Amino acid sequence: MDDENLLRDMGLNKYEASAYLTLLEEGISEANAVSKKSDIPMGKVYEVLESLKNYGLVEIQESRPKKYRPVEPKLALNDYYSKREKDTEKELNRLKETISKAEEKLSQYNYPDYHENTFWSTIMGDDDHLSFVKQVSEEIENEICIVHQESLKSLEPSEFTDFFPPIFDNMMPLINRGVRVNIITPDSYFLTLLKQKYNSVSDEIKGRIDRFLNVKIMETRNGFTLIDNYMIILNVDNPLNPNKTLGLIKIYDTNFSQKLKTKFRKLWDRADDFTLSG
């Protein structure tokens, strides 16, 4: 990557990057010299140099004509980062305030109840997967029922490194909100990790887990997640590695959900009890 592209990746535009590089090569210069060396139109060069000054990359001598001196890159770029960091923080604070106002205003809309309609969407990719799980977790109001497929049992302990943390990290906020979490899972390292987490928390948190988390053991080819009797999450297995998830399908379908709830209850009645405190 050349120097100009590096500066542009930092956030400078083409003229700003070219002007700063020209000053680094030529040293103290007047605007017309910068214009000629960097192919910046004279009608734009003063605006560009003023912008570089605001970034902390250039100093201006207020003489007639004005002269411009490049600030040493090590100092200039650190200063530039600090300025951009402050600007970004201000921008994020403004965005946060705007979102808060928008949330209050838009909540006044009579949002239709779509639970009686069928609707589905798909999610592919790890980044989208995590964002999707977080979004879905925020939608849950009362109960989530999870069935892990028996293939989970074949995973090596090391393979749970990526699999387990997101599950637990998204489960605890649900439990803290009073959402009932029911899990049917095969006897695997997942249960070992779950016990380790349980034993590492305070007695107060253990009490909430005991109240809202129920786990049973069973090997089954079924695999699904049922949320509040209207939303279903299905895993799409990766054909190149059946132990890996390729994507997720989210389905809004009340009738199908009711049938799956019946299926879940039958599996639950046949599954073996599991106690975290044991």
Side-chain angles (χ1 to χ4, degrees):
M1 181 179 292
D2 61 33
D3 297 342
E4 183 176 317
N5 283 333
L6 274 174
L7 292 175
R8 295 188 69 179
D9 281 350
M10 282 171 35
L12 301 186
N13 63 36
K14 179 176 175 59
Y15 284 163
E16 290 166 347
S18 181
Y20 184 60
L21 292 174
T22 295
L23 286 169
L24 287 178
E25 291 175 353
E26 302 296 326
I28 297 171
S29 303
E30 296 176 7
N32 60 351
V34 174
S35 175
K36 290 177 183 178
K37 289 284 185 181
S38 55
D39 293 326
I40 300 174
M42 276 300 297
K44 293 285 296 182
V45 71
Y46 290 101
E47 178 186 338
V48 169
L49 291 167
E50 187 67 29
S51 179
L52 290 175
K53 176 197 173 188
N54 293 335
Y55 287 146
L57 301 178
V58 165
E59 293 178 342
I60 300 178
Q61 177 180 297
E62 297 293 342
S63 55
R64 289 180 177 271
K66 291 182 179 180
K67 293 184 178 181
Y68 302 87
R69 170 187 172 275
V71 178
E72 180 186 352
K74 184 176 181 180
L75 299 174
L77 298 182
N78 284 331
D79 190 37
Y80 173 80
Y81 176 83
S82 298
K83 290 179 184 296
R84 289 295 301 270
E85 186 177 35
K86 290 178 182 177
D87 290 343
T88 300
E89 186 176 350
K90 290 179 183 177
E91 185 177 344
L92 286 174
N93 286 334
R94 285 196 296 269
L95 177 61
K96 187 175 182 180
E97 290 176 6
T98 303
I99 287 176
S100 179
K101 291 177 183 177
E103 183 178 352
E104 182 180 351
K105 287 285 186 180
L106 299 182
S107 295
Q108 297 174 12
Y109 281 74
N110 185 23
Y111 187 72
D113 184 358
Y114 293 114
H115 294 175
E116 297 303 321
N117 299 317
T118 299
F119 180 85
W120 57 268
S121 61
T122 58
I123 301 296
M124 311 297 284
D126 292 340
D127 291 340
D128 287 341
H129 186 164
L130 293 175
S131 176
F132 169 81
V133 169
K134 185 176 184 300
Q135 179 187 356
V136 168
S137 296
E138 293 171 354
E139 289 187 61
I140 303 171
E141 295 181 0
N142 301 306
E143 182 182 53
I144 177 170
C145 300
I146 303 168
V147 180
H148 292 154
Q149 290 175 301
E150 60 187 6
S151 57
L152 191 70
K153 187 175 181 179
S154 64
L155 294 182
E156 295 295 326
S158 60
E159 295 182 87
F160 284 87
T161 303
D162 296 326
F163 172 79
F164 181 79
I167 291 179
F168 189 83
D169 291 344
N170 283 284
M171 188 167 60
M172 282 311 303
L174 296 177
I175 289 172
N176 289 331
R177 280 178 15 222
V179 173
R180 190 164 299 282
V181 180
N182 303 313
I183 302 175
I184 297 175
T185 187
D187 189 0
S188 68
Y189 194 63
F190 172 81
L191 296 176
T192 301
L193 292 175
L194 195 57
K195 276 199 171 187
Q196 288 177 359
K197 282 289 187 180
Y198 178 84
N199 291 326
S200 69
V201 300
S202 67
D203 289 341
E204 180 181 355
I205 296 176
K206 284 178 182 175
R208 291 194 67 80
I209 293 175
D210 291 338
R211 182 179 176 187
F212 294 105
L213 173 63
N214 297 288
V215 181
K216 284 198 171 187
I217 301 174
M218 184 181 191
E219 292 186 22
T220 174
R221 296 178 62 184
N222 295 284
F224 60 87
T225 298
L226 177 61
I227 296 170
D228 287 338
N229 296 327
Y230 70 87
M231 187 196 306
I232 304 147
I233 309 295
L234 300 178
N235 284 5
V236 179
D237 293 336
N238 188 334
L240 298 177
N241 187 345
N243 291 330
K244 295 289 185 179
T245 297
L246 182 65
L248 298 170
I249 302 175
K250 178 169 68 170
I251 305 170
Y252 292 92
D253 188 322
T254 304
N255 291 331
F256 188 26
S257 295
Q258 290 173 351
K259 293 176 182 178
L260 269 184
K261 188 59 179 288
T262 300
K263 176 71 173 180
F264 181 84
R265 286 172 179 158
K266 290 180 179 179
L267 293 173
W268 188 262
D269 289 341
R270 290 164 44 204
D272 296 326
D273 292 332
F274 174 79
T275 305
L276 283 170
S277 58

